[in-house]
Amino acid sequence: MTTEESDARVYYRVALKLMALLGILALVYAMISGFLSEPRTSHVLTKSVDITALAPGEMLEVEWSGRPVLVLRRSEAMAAADAAFVERLYDPGSRFSRQPRAYRNDHRSAAPDVFVAFAIGTDLGCRLDLVVPKIAAEQGWGGGIVDRCRGGRYDFAGRVHDGQAARRNLEVPDYRLHPDGRVILGETPASD
């Protein structure tokens, strides 16, 4: 082996070792900078919905984050119907529901007279319609919210009736009630 060949081998060895060292340093830098950087937060858009003109027994549907949301102003008759038909519900305690922890109560909301949920059935993702207690009494139930595809029934708190194709209650989004009569969609409840 000549001196030139020996010098070339040393040169290549040194070059390969330097490239390996640079690769390791780049990897260490990426890992350390990932640990030391501030976490990225996802920004959720909020939407304000004025419900001051919503009378008891009326429902409003709005679009938020690409999904329909229903806002229902419950009447006393609706609350009475929910209480009378609670034994017919699949998950009356909302143990399997998707909702803010602050709204794990009998009415599944921030206030007994206002219910907010995504306006999509939990079976096939179909839109929903409101059936008031007066009309529902003729059909032998207390009324509530009905799935347009299969007719799945939910009460006025979005809890699914037993014996339906749907097995989950309606999903309640993050929201809070503002004292001036607005629902602020996308804001986390204070006690959550």
PDB file of all heavy atoms in Angstrom, residues 135-155:
ATOM      1  N   ILE A 135     -97.251  16.978  21.347  1.00  0.00           N
ATOM      2  CA  ILE A 135     -97.324  16.090  20.185  1.00  0.00           C
ATOM      3  C   ILE A 135     -96.849  14.690  20.558  1.00  0.00           C
ATOM      4  O   ILE A 135     -97.414  13.684  20.138  1.00  0.00           O
ATOM      5  CB  ILE A 135     -96.490  16.660  19.018  1.00  0.00           C
ATOM      6  CG1 ILE A 135     -97.115  17.974  18.530  1.00  0.00           C
ATOM      7  CG2 ILE A 135     -96.368  15.672  17.879  1.00  0.00           C
ATOM      8  CD1 ILE A 135     -96.281  18.736  17.544  1.00  0.00           C
ATOM      9  N   ALA A 136     -95.803  14.602  21.378  1.00  0.00           N
ATOM     10  CA  ALA A 136     -95.236  13.306  21.758  1.00  0.00           C
ATOM     11  C   ALA A 136     -96.188  12.487  22.615  1.00  0.00           C
ATOM     12  O   ALA A 136     -96.167  11.257  22.568  1.00  0.00           O
ATOM     13  CB  ALA A 136     -93.926  13.506  22.502  1.00  0.00           C
ATOM     14  N   ALA A 137     -97.046  13.142  23.392  1.00  0.00           N
ATOM     15  CA  ALA A 137     -97.997  12.421  24.249  1.00  0.00           C
ATOM     16  C   ALA A 137     -98.919  11.536  23.413  1.00  0.00           C
ATOM     17  O   ALA A 137     -99.301  10.444  23.845  1.00  0.00           O
ATOM     18  CB  ALA A 137     -98.805  13.406  25.074  1.00  0.00           C
ATOM     19  N   GLU A 138     -99.247  11.968  22.215  1.00  0.00           N
ATOM     20  CA  GLU A 138    -100.078  11.166  21.316  1.00  0.00           C
ATOM     21  C   GLU A 138     -99.345   9.909  20.860  1.00  0.00           C
ATOM     22  O   GLU A 138     -99.960   8.915  20.496  1.00  0.00           O
ATOM     23  CB  GLU A 138    -100.478  12.002  20.087  1.00  0.00           C
ATOM     24  CG  GLU A 138    -101.282  13.240  20.432  1.00  0.00           C
ATOM     25  CD  GLU A 138    -101.396  14.202  19.256  1.00  0.00           C
ATOM     26  OE1 GLU A 138    -100.902  13.879  18.150  1.00  0.00           O
ATOM     27  OE2 GLU A 138    -101.974  15.285  19.453  1.00  0.00           O
ATOM     28  N   GLN A 139     -97.997   9.942  20.893  1.00  0.00           N
ATOM     29  CA  GLN A 139     -97.183   8.810  20.478  1.00  0.00           C
ATOM     30  C   GLN A 139     -96.714   7.954  21.661  1.00  0.00           C
ATOM     31  O   GLN A 139     -95.985   6.994  21.490  1.00  0.00           O
ATOM     32  CB  GLN A 139     -95.955   9.321  19.708  1.00  0.00           C
ATOM     33  CG  GLN A 139     -96.318  10.141  18.489  1.00  0.00           C
ATOM     34  CD  GLN A 139     -95.095  10.870  17.911  1.00  0.00           C
ATOM     35  OE1 GLN A 139     -94.001  10.831  18.462  1.00  0.00           O
ATOM     36  NE2 GLN A 139     -95.299  11.544  16.782  1.00  0.00           N
ATOM     37  N   GLY A 140     -97.113   8.324  22.873  1.00  0.00           N
ATOM     38  CA  GLY A 140     -96.799   7.531  24.055  1.00  0.00           C
ATOM     39  C   GLY A 140     -95.441   7.779  24.684  1.00  0.00           C
ATOM     40  O   GLY A 140     -94.912   6.926  25.377  1.00  0.00           O
ATOM     41  N   TRP A 141     -94.890   8.955  24.469  1.00  0.00           N
ATOM     42  CA  TRP A 141     -93.639   9.295  25.132  1.00  0.00           C
ATOM     43  C   TRP A 141     -93.651  10.766  25.510  1.00  0.00           C
ATOM     44  O   TRP A 141     -94.586  11.493  25.179  1.00  0.00           O
ATOM     45  CB  TRP A 141     -92.422   8.913  24.290  1.00  0.00           C
ATOM     46  CG  TRP A 141     -92.215   9.669  23.003  1.00  0.00           C
ATOM     47  CD1 TRP A 141     -93.062   9.753  21.944  1.00  0.00           C
ATOM     48  CD2 TRP A 141     -91.065  10.436  22.645  1.00  0.00           C
ATOM     49  NE1 TRP A 141     -92.527  10.506  20.955  1.00  0.00           N
ATOM     50  CE2 TRP A 141     -91.288  10.940  21.354  1.00  0.00           C
ATOM     51  CE3 TRP A 141     -89.873  10.727  23.273  1.00  0.00           C
ATOM     52  CZ2 TRP A 141     -90.365  11.740  20.691  1.00  0.00           C
ATOM     53  CZ3 TRP A 141     -88.943  11.516  22.609  1.00  0.00           C
ATOM     54  CH2 TRP A 141     -89.186  12.019  21.329  1.00  0.00           C
ATOM     55  N   GLY A 142     -92.647  11.211  26.219  1.00  0.00           N
ATOM     56  CA  GLY A 142     -92.647  12.579  26.750  1.00  0.00           C
ATOM     57  C   GLY A 142     -92.147  13.637  25.808  1.00  0.00           C
ATOM     58  O   GLY A 142     -92.246  14.822  26.095  1.00  0.00           O
ATOM     59  N   GLY A 143     -91.610  13.233  24.684  1.00  0.00           N
ATOM     60  CA  GLY A 143     -91.069  14.211  23.747  1.00  0.00           C
ATOM     61  C   GLY A 143     -89.575  14.372  23.934  1.00  0.00           C
ATOM     62  O   GLY A 143     -88.973  13.810  24.846  1.00  0.00           O
ATOM     63  N   GLY A 144     -88.993  15.093  23.028  1.00  0.00           N
ATOM     64  CA  GLY A 144     -87.553  15.317  23.080  1.00  0.00           C
ATOM     65  C   GLY A 144     -87.005  15.629  21.707  1.00  0.00           C
ATOM     66  O   GLY A 144     -87.610  16.371  20.933  1.00  0.00           O
ATOM     67  N   ILE A 145     -85.895  15.023  21.402  1.00  0.00           N
ATOM     68  CA  ILE A 145     -85.184  15.276  20.158  1.00  0.00           C
ATOM     69  C   ILE A 145     -85.139  13.962  19.388  1.00  0.00           C
ATOM     70  O   ILE A 145     -84.852  12.915  19.959  1.00  0.00           O
ATOM     71  CB  ILE A 145     -83.776  15.812  20.461  1.00  0.00           C
ATOM     72  CG1 ILE A 145     -83.895  17.076  21.335  1.00  0.00           C
ATOM     73  CG2 ILE A 145     -83.015  16.103  19.196  1.00  0.00           C
ATOM     74  CD1 ILE A 145     -82.631  17.488  22.029  1.00  0.00           C
ATOM     75  N   VAL A 146     -85.435  14.031  18.087  1.00  0.00           N
ATOM     76  CA  VAL A 146     -85.550  12.825  17.271  1.00  0.00           C
ATOM     77  C   VAL A 146     -84.558  12.869  16.117  1.00  0.00           C
ATOM     78  O   VAL A 146     -84.403  13.893  15.447  1.00  0.00           O
ATOM     79  CB  VAL A 146     -86.992  12.673  16.724  1.00  0.00           C
ATOM     80  CG1 VAL A 146     -87.106  11.459  15.832  1.00  0.00           C
ATOM     81  CG2 VAL A 146     -87.978  12.577  17.856  1.00  0.00           C
ATOM     82  N   ASP A 147     -83.928  11.752  15.881  1.00  0.00           N
ATOM     83  CA  ASP A 147     -82.992  11.538  14.780  1.00  0.00           C
ATOM     84  C   ASP A 147     -83.788  11.417  13.475  1.00  0.00           C
ATOM     85  O   ASP A 147     -84.761  10.673  13.414  1.00  0.00           O
ATOM     86  CB  ASP A 147     -82.228  10.252  15.126  1.00  0.00           C
ATOM     87  CG  ASP A 147     -81.362   9.718  14.025  1.00  0.00           C
ATOM     88  OD1 ASP A 147     -81.828   9.620  12.882  1.00  0.00           O
ATOM     89  OD2 ASP A 147     -80.228   9.349  14.325  1.00  0.00           O
ATOM     90  N   ARG A 148     -83.410  12.136  12.436  1.00  0.00           N
ATOM     91  CA  ARG A 148     -84.158  12.128  11.167  1.00  0.00           C
ATOM     92  C   ARG A 148     -84.029  10.826  10.383  1.00  0.00           C
ATOM     93  O   ARG A 148     -84.868  10.528   9.551  1.00  0.00           O
ATOM     94  CB  ARG A 148     -83.690  13.274  10.270  1.00  0.00           C
ATOM     95  CG  ARG A 148     -84.069  14.628  10.772  1.00  0.00           C
ATOM     96  CD  ARG A 148     -83.589  15.712   9.832  1.00  0.00           C
ATOM     97  NE  ARG A 148     -83.809  17.024  10.421  1.00  0.00           N
ATOM     98  CZ  ARG A 148     -83.372  18.149   9.895  1.00  0.00           C
ATOM     99  NH1 ARG A 148     -82.681  18.120   8.767  1.00  0.00           N
ATOM    100  NH2 ARG A 148     -83.608  19.287  10.483  1.00  0.00           N
ATOM    101  N   CYS A 149     -82.980  10.045  10.605  1.00  0.00           N
ATOM    102  CA  CYS A 149     -82.771   8.820   9.820  1.00  0.00           C
ATOM    103  C   CYS A 149     -83.604   7.655  10.325  1.00  0.00           C
ATOM    104  O   CYS A 149     -84.438   7.125   9.613  1.00  0.00           O
ATOM    105  CB  CYS A 149     -81.295   8.428   9.828  1.00  0.00           C
ATOM    106  SG  CYS A 149     -80.226   9.616   9.019  1.00  0.00           S
ATOM    107  N   ARG A 150     -83.354   7.242  11.549  1.00  0.00           N
ATOM    108  CA  ARG A 150     -84.040   6.066  12.094  1.00  0.00           C
ATOM    109  C   ARG A 150     -85.088   6.405  13.141  1.00  0.00           C
ATOM    110  O   ARG A 150     -85.705   5.518  13.702  1.00  0.00           O
ATOM    111  CB  ARG A 150     -83.025   5.118  12.733  1.00  0.00           C
ATOM    112  CG  ARG A 150     -82.084   4.485  11.757  1.00  0.00           C
ATOM    113  CD  ARG A 150     -81.382   3.356  12.445  1.00  0.00           C
ATOM    114  NE  ARG A 150     -80.138   3.017  11.766  1.00  0.00           N
ATOM    115  CZ  ARG A 150     -79.373   2.018  12.118  1.00  0.00           C
ATOM    116  NH1 ARG A 150     -79.683   1.266  13.136  1.00  0.00           N
ATOM    117  NH2 ARG A 150     -78.271   1.761  11.459  1.00  0.00           N
ATOM    118  N   GLY A 151     -85.230   7.689  13.446  1.00  0.00           N
ATOM    119  CA  GLY A 151     -86.225   8.079  14.440  1.00  0.00           C
ATOM    120  C   GLY A 151     -85.791   7.811  15.871  1.00  0.00           C
ATOM    121  O   GLY A 151     -86.623   7.674  16.764  1.00  0.00           O
ATOM    122  N   GLY A 152     -84.476   7.720  16.099  1.00  0.00           N
ATOM    123  CA  GLY A 152     -83.962   7.517  17.458  1.00  0.00           C
ATOM    124  C   GLY A 152     -84.384   8.665  18.358  1.00  0.00           C
ATOM    125  O   GLY A 152     -84.342   9.821  17.966  1.00  0.00           O
ATOM    126  N   ARG A 153     -84.793   8.331  19.585  1.00  0.00           N
ATOM    127  CA  ARG A 153     -85.334   9.342  20.500  1.00  0.00           C
ATOM    128  C   ARG A 153     -84.349   9.678  21.612  1.00  0.00           C
ATOM    129  O   ARG A 153     -83.744   8.805  22.207  1.00  0.00           O
ATOM    130  CB  ARG A 153     -86.622   8.826  21.131  1.00  0.00           C
ATOM    131  CG  ARG A 153     -87.733   8.613  20.142  1.00  0.00           C
ATOM    132  CD  ARG A 153     -88.942   8.022  20.825  1.00  0.00           C
ATOM    133  NE  ARG A 153     -90.031   7.846  19.874  1.00  0.00           N
ATOM    134  CZ  ARG A 153     -91.192   7.323  20.193  1.00  0.00           C
ATOM    135  NH1 ARG A 153     -91.432   6.911  21.433  1.00  0.00           N
ATOM    136  NH2 ARG A 153     -92.127   7.200  19.275  1.00  0.00           N
ATOM    137  N   TYR A 154     -84.258  10.969  21.884  1.00  0.00           N
ATOM    138  CA  TYR A 154     -83.477  11.515  22.993  1.00  0.00           C
ATOM    139  C   TYR A 154     -84.424  12.402  23.798  1.00  0.00           C
ATOM    140  O   TYR A 154     -85.317  13.028  23.237  1.00  0.00           O
ATOM    141  CB  TYR A 154     -82.316  12.366  22.485  1.00  0.00           C
ATOM    142  CG  TYR A 154     -81.386  11.652  21.533  1.00  0.00           C
ATOM    143  CD1 TYR A 154     -81.654  11.599  20.166  1.00  0.00           C
ATOM    144  CD2 TYR A 154     -80.238  11.033  22.006  1.00  0.00           C
ATOM    145  CE1 TYR A 154     -80.805  10.941  19.296  1.00  0.00           C
ATOM    146  CE2 TYR A 154     -79.374  10.369  21.131  1.00  0.00           C
ATOM    147  CZ  TYR A 154     -79.676  10.332  19.786  1.00  0.00           C
ATOM    148  OH  TYR A 154     -78.825   9.673  18.924  1.00  0.00           O
ATOM    149  N   ASP A 155     -84.220  12.481  25.112  1.00  0.00           N
ATOM    150  CA  ASP A 155     -85.065  13.385  25.891  1.00  0.00           C
ATOM    151  C   ASP A 155     -84.556  14.817  25.743  1.00  0.00           C
ATOM    152  O   ASP A 155     -83.647  15.086  24.960  1.00  0.00           O
ATOM    153  CB  ASP A 155     -85.164  12.924  27.353  1.00  0.00           C
ATOM    154  CG  ASP A 155     -83.889  13.142  28.154  1.00  0.00           C
ATOM    155  OD1 ASP A 155     -82.861  13.557  27.584  1.00  0.00           O
ATOM    156  OD2 ASP A 155     -83.934  12.882  29.371  1.00  0.00           O
TER     157      ASP A 155
END
